[in-house]
Amino acid sequence: MAFDNLLLERDGAVAVLTINRPKVLNALNGQTIDELRRAILELKHDAGVRVVIITGAGEKSFIAGADINEIAVQSPIDGREHAIRGQHVFDLIEHMGKPVIAAINGYALGGGCELAMACTIRIAADTAKLGQPEINLGIVPGYAGTQRLARIVGRGRALELLLTGDQIPAQEAHRLGLVNRVVPAGDLMQEARSFAATLAAKAPVAVRYILEAVHKGLDMPFSQAQIFEATLFGLVSATEDMKEGTTAFLEKRKAEFKGR
Ligand code: CO8
């Protein structure tokens, strides 16, 4: 599949998707959002891909937000539609059933921070800066930043970040729980690939059900989420990978999961 603004590379079970508009610090215009949708759907349905890494081209930026050139001229109706369209694409990332690692190689601002928050795991270069600076443009986040940020770091911290628009360094983002790990900038992709390889070796159906249990379960009342979890537990017990995992443990050897 050909893209103008994305690079897609496969390395065994790991796919690396790079937002490739370095001249505008990888800002997300409408075309890029559309290409992301196509790429994510392709990766979701590719059984050979078990983990996806998303990063930004160049040294400086992961994604510096939605493309302000487009925001500046859009009508209110278009603005709403564009926000909803982007939200659907980010939901696809969150619900693709495979871990997605954001390798945050620089600025993750506005829509860039929102995209990172839709990923399963965030690894940041020690040079990265994160934030939701929309308030400084006189707008609000539109790709679910008000919702995911509050769920990840808590309401009080989210409100401070959203209302100040401050860019925070990677270490501060780590302290808040906004990123999982901070690594030296030069090691970022190696760390992301190594983490991806660890996740790719896990049982894919169990991985998918854990993602589903957490993401769907958090939107349910606790008692229903527990039943949902128990049902997934029952289902996963029917997999060959469950037999392999438990047998390997009892035989004191490493399990080889096949995704069945
Ligand atoms: N959109 C368009 N162009 C951008 C963007 C952007 N978000 N960010 C940077 N650029 C461009 C600059 O205009 C500049 O272009 P040129 O070389 O032609 O002048 C080039 O990238 C390099 O940027 P700078 O010269 O500004 O680089 P600096 O190192 O001086 O600064 C910053 C880097 C701090 C990242 C700075 O570029 C900046 O503040 N960028 C904007 C960050 C921002 O406000 N992001 C939020 C955007 S709004 C948003 O994300 C809303 C999401 C929901 C949208 C829902 C519907 C569409």
Side-chain angles (χ1 to χ4, degrees):
M1 201 176 275
F3 302 108
D4 291 333
N5 300 332
L6 300 179
L7 303 172
L8 180 52
E9 170 216 330
R10 284 181 177 76
D11 179 7
V14 178
V16 180
L17 192 55
T18 305
I19 313 296
N20 188 29
R21 300 185 77 215
K23 283 192 183 136
V24 286
L25 305 185
N26 305 318
L28 298 171
N29 60 0
Q31 184 187 346
T32 310
I33 289 286
D34 200 45
E35 291 186 6
L36 254 177
R37 185 181 55 78
R38 287 195 285 124
I40 295 297
L41 283 173
E42 181 183 321
L43 295 170
K44 178 186 167 100
H45 295 120
D46 184 337
V49 171
R50 290 193 181 179
V51 182
V52 177
I53 297 172
I54 300 183
T55 193
E59 307 272 289
K60 201 168 158 182
S61 183
F62 174 67
I63 298 164
D67 193 315
I68 297 171
N69 297 294
E70 291 185 355
I71 292 180
V73 295
Q74 70 195 357
S75 70
I77 301 297
D78 284 347
R80 183 172 186 275
E81 291 308 313
H82 294 162
I84 291 171
R85 193 171 61 180
Q87 287 172 0
H88 285 165
V89 175
F90 289 15
D91 284 351
L92 275 180
I93 293 173
E94 191 168 85
H95 296 292
M96 80 183 292
K98 303 175 185 190
V100 183
I101 297 174
I104 304 172
N105 55 308
Y107 291 113
L109 301 176
C113 189
E114 290 171 304
L115 190 150
M117 289 192 290
C119 295
T120 320
I121 300 285
R122 287 162 288 285
I123 306 180
D126 55 3
T127 50
K129 293 219 166 119
L130 295 89
Q132 297 289 156
E134 286 90 343
I135 188 74
N136 299 326
L137 299 168
I139 58 175
V140 302
Y143 293 148
T146 56
Q147 302 310 302
R148 287 202 175 91
L149 189 60
R151 283 165 173 76
I152 293 172
V153 304
R155 193 184 303 209
R157 289 162 168 170
L159 282 167
E160 182 177 339
L161 287 172
L162 292 162
L163 291 173
T164 60
D166 283 350
Q167 294 176 17
I168 56 169
Q171 286 296 355
E172 173 68 358
H174 185 247
R175 200 183 63 77
L176 297 179
L178 180 53
V179 300
N180 298 73
R181 296 178 183 192
V182 180
V183 300
D187 298 345
L188 178 67
M189 286 314 289
Q190 192 192 319
E191 290 283 340
R193 284 176 192 273
S194 145
F195 198 170
T198 302
L199 296 180
K202 307 290 183 197
V205 178
V207 166
R208 192 160 73 238
Y209 286 179
I210 285 172
L211 288 167
E212 222 172 293
V214 171
H215 289 310
K216 296 252 165 67
L218 279 173
D219 289 336
M220 294 178 190
F222 192 78
S223 59
Q224 283 178 24
Q226 287 195 104
I227 291 289
F228 182 52
E229 183 194 79
T231 304
L232 293 174
F233 181 84
L235 270 180
V236 85
S237 302
T239 61
E240 286 178 30
D241 281 347
M242 177 270 197
K243 283 196 189 65
E244 166 64 7
T246 50
T247 307
F249 174 81
L250 295 172
E251 292 175 354
K252 301 191 188 305
R253 62 174 173 82
K254 192 171 181 299
E256 292 267 337
F257 295 117
K258 300 208 164 55
R260 292 197 293 266

